[in-house]
């Protein structure tokens, strides 16, 4: 069985001073709540320790697999993040994401039938260092270490990791752009290289367009406290499977790659908290099973399916 060593390091740029108050809310609260490819980049220099916690839940309706069977997913998790200044230019950040997936999967005959998988567990550590100078540029260095496994999988075989990096340049008070790159290992396969575009654009007081990991969001302001956001995101996940003899592929790998489009209604009574509900569709989802040697055992995609998600965010 192949062993992959966890690595972690990165580059990234951020925009520094806060702009309009609405922009400040958007930048501080628009961090991904699900499995993270890279750590969120701070958009504002702080002179004190900051802490945030984000519990969330996600439920998708059943979707048919092209080769027979169906899939419904329930996910629950939380992310915890902190950032603290080191000096006038450097900030240290640390994020932890913990997610539990409860797959309701019926696979084609010969692959385990109904509910062949136990609970899937993901935990990610994302330390980072951010440099923010007095000019238009800022940079971030960080890394990702991940534990991803089905219950009862081999603990030592369930770690992967990677490096990510990006930069940002602030062109004006309403427009910032940047570009990043994430490189991370995969179970029983070559590393994945993922571009990370960076965008913060406010064409008007009521419209805000911004990137979030591998995705783009368009947010409209309804009132001072209410926001409506069209969100798109691509999220890859993979898990080491149980070594039990009764497992579908003992010691193998399950991959889950999805593209989600949703409309989120958020209530933000202050900079310190947000409550949101999102409705939308899982527009694309691919499942893949590999054995412990990296050989494909099963690969299939699902039909689109609706989903509902809820989230709370608190920042101190």
């Amino acid at each position: 069985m192949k062993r992959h060593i966890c690595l972690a390091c990165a580059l990234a740029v951020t925009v520094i001073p806060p702009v309009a108050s609405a922009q400040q809310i958007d930048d501080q609260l628009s961090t991904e709540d699900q499995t993270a490819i890279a750590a969120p980049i701070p958009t504002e220099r702080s002179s004190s320790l900051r802490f945030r916690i984000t519990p969330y839940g996600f439920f998708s309706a059943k979707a048919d697999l092209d080769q027979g069977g169906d899939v419904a997913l329930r996910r629950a998790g939380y992310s915890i993040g902190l950032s603290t200044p080191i000096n006038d230019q450097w900030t240290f950040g640390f994020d932890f994401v913990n997610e539990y997936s409860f797959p309701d999967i019926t696979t084609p005959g010969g692959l385990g039938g109904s509910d062949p998988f136990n609970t899937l567990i993901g935990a990610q550590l994302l330390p980072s260092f951010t440099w923010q100078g007095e000019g238009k540029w800022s940079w971030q260095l960080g890394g990702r270490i991940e534990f991803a496994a089905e219950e009862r999988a081999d603990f030592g075989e369930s770690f992967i990791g990677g490096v990510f990096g990006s930069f940002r340049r602030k062109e004006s008070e309403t427009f910032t752009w940047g570009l990043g790159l994430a490189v991370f290992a995969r179970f029983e396969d070559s590393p994945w290289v993922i571009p990370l575009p960076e965008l913060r654009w406010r064409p008007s007081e009521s419209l805000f367009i911004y990137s979030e990991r591998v995705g783009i969001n368009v947010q409209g302001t309804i009132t001072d406290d209410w926001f409506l956001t069209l969100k798109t995101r691509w999220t890859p996940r993979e898990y080491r499977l149980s070594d039990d003899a009764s497992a579908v592929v003992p010691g193998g790998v399950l991959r889950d790659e999805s593209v989600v489009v949703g409309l989120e209604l958020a209530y933000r009574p202050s900079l310190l908290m947000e409550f949101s509900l999102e409705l939308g569709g899982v527009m694309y989802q691919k499942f893949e099973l590999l054995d412990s040697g990296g050989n494909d055992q099963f690969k299939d995609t699902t039909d689109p399916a609706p989903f509902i998600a809820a989230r709370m965010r608190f920042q101190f």
Side-chain angles (χ1 to χ4, degrees):
M1 183 181 297
K2 298 180 183 177
R3 292 178 180 269
H4 290 283
I5 300 174
C6 300
L7 302 174
C9 299
L11 307 167
V13 179
T14 352
V15 184
I16 304 158
V19 283
S21 58
Q23 173 81 62
Q24 187 178 7
I25 293 175
D26 293 331
D27 287 343
Q28 290 187 10
L29 294 179
S30 63
T31 55
E32 182 68 35
D33 52 33
Q34 299 183 13
T35 182
I37 292 173
I41 304 174
T43 53
E44 172 188 339
R45 184 192 298 128
S46 174
S47 59
S48 61
L49 175 68
R50 284 188 172 178
F51 174 83
R52 64 183 179 276
I53 181 168
T54 307
Y56 64 89
F58 176 96
F59 174 78
S60 69
K62 280 195 174 184
D64 291 334
L65 289 161
D66 293 342
Q67 299 179 31
D70 51 53
V71 178
L73 286 173
R74 300 179 300 277
R75 305 190 198 275
Y78 61 91
S79 64
I80 296 173
L82 65 84
S83 62
T84 184
I86 299 173
N87 55 35
D88 289 342
Q89 293 183 323
W90 286 94
T91 299
F92 172 72
F94 186 84
D95 288 85
F96 174 68
V97 182
N98 189 198
E99 180 180 87
Y100 296 85
S101 295
F102 309 94
D104 180 2
I105 300 178
T106 300
T107 56
L111 279 173
S114 180
D115 296 333
F117 302 108
N118 298 313
T119 301
L120 305 172
I121 303 168
Q124 300 171 356
L125 298 175
L126 298 107
S128 62
F129 291 91
T130 302
W131 177 83
Q132 298 180 332
E134 297 299 330
K136 296 183 177 181
W137 299 92
S138 58
W139 305 82
Q140 185 186 54
L141 302 173
R144 168 179 135 161
I145 301 172
E146 179 177 11
F147 172 84
E150 182 185 18
E151 283 185 336
R152 298 194 294 276
D154 186 291
F155 182 79
E157 292 285 343
S158 301
F159 286 90
I160 48 178
V163 299
F164 58 88
S166 66
F167 70 88
R168 277 187 187 170
R169 176 179 170 86
K170 180 182 178 181
E171 301 292 351
S172 69
E173 295 299 308
T174 59
F175 183 74
T176 296
W177 66 275
L179 184 64
L181 194 69
V183 181
F184 60 88
R186 293 189 289 172
F187 293 123
E188 316 303 346
D189 209 337
S190 56
W192 213 335
V193 180
I194 300 174
L196 301 173
E198 295 286 340
L199 176 66
R200 289 288 189 274
W201 180 32
R202 181 174 288 279
S204 69
E205 284 298 317
S206 60
L207 185 63
F208 179 42
I209 302 170
Y210 63 98
S211 60
E212 193 169 40
R213 277 54 176 249
V214 187
I216 191 74
N217 302 329
V218 180
Q219 182 179 90
T221 301
I222 301 174
T223 68
D224 290 343
D225 298 333
W226 290 90
F227 302 85
L228 191 64
T229 305
L230 177 65
K231 309 185 76 171
T232 63
R233 55 190 179 271
W234 168 75
T235 306
R237 294 175 172 85
E238 60 182 277
Y239 305 92
R240 176 67 70 187
L241 296 178
S242 169
D243 278 334
D244 290 352
S246 59
V248 179
V249 184
V253 177
L254 171 65
R255 289 186 178 148
D256 168 12
E257 180 183 341
S258 62
V259 175
V260 173
V261 178
L263 192 62
E264 178 186 73
L265 179 64
Y267 172 59
R268 300 175 188 164
S270 76
L271 276 172
L272 303 180
M273 63 185 68
E274 178 193 71
F275 308 92
S276 64
L277 183 69
E278 183 181 5
L279 300 174
V282 181
M283 308 309 295
Y284 171 83
Q285 189 156 33
K286 181 174 73 174
F287 289 93
E288 187 175 2
L289 276 172
L290 289 76
D291 63 21
S292 58
N295 302 303
D296 282 340
Q297 300 298 304
F298 174 74
K299 185 185 295 184
D300 203 356
T301 57
T302 69
D303 294 338
F307 78 87
I308 183 170
R311 175 179 48 246
M312 295 182 290
R313 289 175 177 153
F314 303 96
Q315 180 169 291
F316 308 96

